[in-house]
Amino acid sequence: MTSKSLWLETDYEALKLEEDINCDILIIGAGLSGLTTAYYLSKANKKVVVIDANRIGHGTSGHTTAHITLQHDAVYYKYLKYFGLSKTKIIAKENIKAIKEIKRIVDENGLECDLEVSKSYLLTNTEKGTKVLEKEYKAYKTLEIESRLVKDEELFIPYKLGICLEEQMHFNPMKYMVGLAKIITEKGSIIYENTRVIKIKDDYVLTEDYKITFEKVVIATHNPIKELGGFYSLKKYQDRSYTVAFNYDRDFNGMLNVIDKDGYTYRKYEDLLLVGGRDHKCGKESKKEHYNQIIKDNNELEVYTYWSAQDPITLDHLPYIGKYNRRSENMYVITGFGKWGMTNSNIAGRIICDLILKVNNEASEIYSPQRIKPCVAWMNLVKYNVEDIYNYMLGIFKLNKPSCPHLKCKMNFNKEEGTFDCPCHGSRITKDGKILETPAKKQKQDLQK
């Protein structure tokens, strides 16, 4: 049994930056959102430079379960309450368009990424979950999303009620990203791997060794690595989850998402069943060992490999896509996919491309990081950040050890992963100081002291 994402069996070799350069558009982050944005800009004949501190797709994008669906848990009934009917219709329309766009990109370019059309299910096995799904189904009807309630359809897990969507998809995300990377470079843009940014200014960035001057920059680092001017650390929190791939030779072409507490997601890939779940706020470990619990709950299956990932969740559960702040004219940000990066990364790429090209996009205001927050979002701001602010204040007085290089919050050791995790803003660092997750930028070598 190994501990490695299934998708990272596919690889791509890009360049490493070896000199100071100038560019029109710089994209920081070579995950799904950064590469998708570069794809659309390259199609518009823009020359783009993409850089990544690690390898292409080796962050959260390479550790996803890759459900391509507009079913992002039970959220549309919440969106109707938060944003109203007209804006929520646009959100639904953008997700539907994203699914079609991903299929178009794959078909038009002949990308070999194991794309399969599939049914998608939201499921519950509790009375509480049944009430939630009834509200979500009502929201689907209001939004004219084609769906059906299921109670007696045969699935391989027990459930009381479900919502089924047809014509959703899943694929191998790394193969898809490799395909995008090849298209981008064929269009004349450049991708640099192993190029870590340590400082971002208005018209240039400093890497560990070189300077990149730009006209416009897109921060697509999963968690924004620029703090001042945006304060994104206060507007979201990091949630971590775990995936185990089991050997599985039974026929099944669907995606299941159980919304109950400690419920799992399921999808098939080749002769494997991917089971994901055990969510918790980063740096806040439960007493149970997450992988062992997933294995125990599926004990009739043999483990092939396992991995974990985390994603920022925004205050109103909609991503932040747009200008970095109200005054910014050349800096853009993409973050807060809430573990649903497949359609959201495509939406992000189209919105950012349109903003840079000054093309009207009706979704840009809705997804804007400067959108007016509903009351519930401000309540969540207090809920998620009181402890973090206290932790940060301790860091100011140097009372936190070991401390995160980002804002000096105390880091907790994650025995299961062998990493130091920051409960404030989600940075993760290995014992020898290697940064695995932003917003920390500078390597820290003394975490064990």
Side-chain angles (χ1 to χ4, degrees), residues 27 29-43 50 101-102 105 176-177 180-181 184 334 337 341-350 352-353:
I27 297 176
L32 264 171
S33 59
L35 292 173
T36 302
T37 304
Y39 165 81
Y40 283 111
L41 288 169
S42 297
K43 275 197 68 179
V50 182
E101 274 289 283
I102 291 170
I105 292 169
Y176 179 71
M177 287 185 282
L180 287 179
I184 292 162
I334 300 170
F337 289 168
M342 302 302 100
T343 56
N344 279 324
S345 62
N346 185 272
I347 294 169
R350 289 185 282 111
I352 297 296
C353 182

Side-chain angles (χ1 to χ4, degrees), residues 89-101:
K89 278 189 172 182
I90 293 172
I91 294 169
K93 184 171 74 172
E94 285 298 312
N95 278 278
I96 293 169
K97 184 176 181 180
I99 296 170
K100 294 177 180 178
E101 274 289 283

Side-chain angles (χ1 to χ4, degrees), residues 98-277:
I99 296 170
K100 294 177 180 178
E101 274 289 283
I102 291 170
K103 191 171 191 309
R104 180 193 64 77
I105 292 169
V106 170
D107 291 344
E108 284 187 5
N109 297 281
L111 303 188
E112 296 181 358
C113 59
D114 307 321
L115 183 72
E116 290 188 46
V117 176
S118 172
K119 296 177 182 178
S120 180
Y121 297 84
L122 282 183
L123 300 171
T124 181
N125 205 30
T126 68
E127 292 300 326
K128 180 180 179 181
T130 297
K131 292 177 182 179
V132 170
L133 286 191
E134 287 172 347
K135 289 191 286 187
E136 186 74 350
Y137 183 66
K138 183 179 179 181
Y140 281 13
K141 291 299 182 184
T142 301
L143 298 167
E144 300 178 342
I145 297 173
E146 292 187 14
S147 61
R148 56 186 172 85
L149 281 178
V150 293
K151 295 182 179 179
D152 52 9
E153 185 171 332
E154 185 175 344
L155 299 172
F156 65 86
I157 60 171
Y159 69 97
K160 289 182 179 294
L161 187 68
I163 305 174
C164 178
L165 295 182
E166 305 282 348
E167 301 296 317
Q168 310 297 287
M169 302 185 303
H170 52 70
F171 63 4
N172 180 318
M174 191 65 193
K175 288 183 178 180
Y176 179 71
M177 287 185 282
V178 167
L180 287 179
K182 291 178 179 177
I183 296 169
I184 292 162
T185 53
E186 287 170 0
K187 289 284 187 180
S189 295
I190 305 173
I191 302 171
Y192 294 104
E193 296 180 323
N194 299 310
T195 302
R196 181 178 297 280
V197 170
I198 59 174
K199 182 177 291 187
I200 302 177
K201 292 295 186 179
D202 290 339
D203 59 356
Y204 70 90
V205 301
L206 296 179
T207 72
E208 291 174 317
D209 301 300
Y210 300 103
K211 180 179 181 180
I212 305 175
T213 305
F214 56 79
E215 291 185 6
K216 296 184 184 296
V217 63
V218 181
I219 303 173
T221 53
H222 168 67
N223 204 1
I225 57 174
K226 181 177 173 61
E227 183 63 38
L228 293 178
F231 299 103
Y232 287 93
S233 294
L234 291 174
K235 297 194 291 186
K236 55 182 178 48
Y237 67 97
Q238 290 278 2
D239 200 67
R240 191 156 196 82
S241 60
Y242 303 79
T243 300
V244 178
F246 296 95
N247 291 315
Y248 193 80
D249 58 3
R250 293 169 237 172
D251 290 333
F252 169 65
N253 182 27
M255 300 176 291
L256 311 182
N257 179 12
V258 181
I259 67 168
D260 305 327
K261 181 176 170 37
D262 294 332
Y264 295 126
T265 65
Y266 304 83
R267 65 155 285 200
K268 187 92 181 290
Y269 179 70
E270 297 180 342
D271 57 353
L272 299 172
L273 180 68
L274 279 53
V275 183

